[in-house]
Amino acid sequence: MLWHKTLQIILAFHIIFVVTWFAGLFYLPRLFVYHAEASEPVVRERLKVMERKLMIMTHIGGVLAVLFGLALTGWWMAHQPAYLLAGGWFHAKLALVVLLIGYHVWLWRLKNRFARDACDWSSRRLRWFNEIPSILLVLIVLLVVVKPF
Ligand code: HEM
C-alpha cells in the first residue's frame, strides 16, 4: 500500500516535470521566431536574456522528467518487469524520448548561436522546427496511455 502511494507520487512528479520540460520545448522556438524577425538591438538583447533563462528552466524540467521516468522504470523492473517489457510500447516510447532529447540539444545549440548573433535560420524554418515537439508529445502520450502494442 505504501509502495503503491510512493509509485503514484513518483508518477505525479514525472508528469509535472514533463509539463515543465514541454513549456520550454514549445516556447523557446517561438522566442527564436521573434528573435529572427527582430532588428532593433534592444529587442534582440532582451530576447537573449529570455532565451537564456527559459533554457535553464527547460534543462531542469528535462533532467527531472528523465530522472523520475528512470525511477518509475526501476520500480516496475524490480516488481513486475513484464509490464514494461511484454509489449513494444515502452521501447517505442524510449526511442521517441531519445529523439526528444536530440531536439532539446538542437534547441540548446540554436540558443547559443542566437546569443552570438550567429543564427541565420529564417523565421519560416523556425516555425516548422517548432512543430516537432507537438508531434513527439502526441505520439508519446498515445503510446503510454493507449499502449497499442
Ligand atoms: C527517459 C525518459 C522517460 C522514462 C524512462 C519514462 C518512463 C516512464 C514509466 C516507467 C512510466 C510508468 C508507466 C505507467 O505507469 O503506465 C511513465 C509514465 C508516463 N510517462 Fe514517462 N518516461 C520518460 C519520459 C517521458 C516523456 C518525455 C513523456 C511525455 C512526452 C512521458 C509521459 C508519460 C506519461 C503521460 C505517463 C503516465 C502514463 C499513465 O499513467 O498512464 N514520459 N514513464
Side-chain angles (χ1 to χ4, degrees):
M1 189 60 197
L2 186 62
W3 261 116
H4 194 65
K5 279 281 163 243
T6 311
L7 183 67
Q8 287 175 336
I9 291 168
I10 297 173
L11 181 58
F13 277 97
H14 178 56
I15 294 168
I16 289 164
F17 288 114
V18 164
V19 173
T20 313
W21 190 11
F22 268 88
L25 296 181
F26 283 142
Y27 206 62
L28 265 167
R30 262 277 106 204
L31 288 179
F32 295 163
V33 170
Y34 302 139
H35 201 146
E37 288 172 354
S39 48
E40 308 91 289
V42 189
V43 176
R44 293 178 69 89
E45 290 310 309
R46 176 144 324 138
L47 282 164
K48 284 180 195 174
V49 174
M50 291 167 76
E51 286 158 4
R52 186 170 52 78
K53 291 188 173 163
L54 186 57
M55 190 78 242
I56 293 169
M57 193 205 78
T58 314
H59 286 323
I60 294 171
V63 168
L64 291 174
V66 170
L67 287 180
F68 279 97
L70 292 176
L72 288 170
T73 308
W75 192 93
W76 281 109
M77 291 307 283
H79 294 83
Q80 199 183 319
Y83 178 65
L84 299 182
L85 302 179
W89 67 272
F90 188 65
H91 297 89
K93 173 189 172 166
L94 287 187
L96 292 175
V97 171
V98 169
L99 293 182
L100 195 64
I101 293 170
Y103 181 81
H104 179 122
V105 173
W106 201 356
L107 271 184
W108 192 2
R109 295 174 64 138
L110 280 175
K111 190 273 292 170
N112 289 337
R113 279 167 64 184
F114 271 112
R116 296 192 308 268
D117 293 314
C119 188
D120 56 0
W121 281 36
S122 67
S123 63
R124 191 181 142 85
R125 188 173 172 194
L126 286 162
R127 277 175 218 273
W128 279 109
F129 182 67
N130 203 356
E131 300 305 327
I132 296 174
S134 320
I135 297 164
L136 290 173
L137 177 64
V138 170
L139 293 177
I140 295 173
V141 173
L142 281 175
L143 273 174
V144 290
V145 175
V146 181
K147 300 183 179 61
F149 44 81

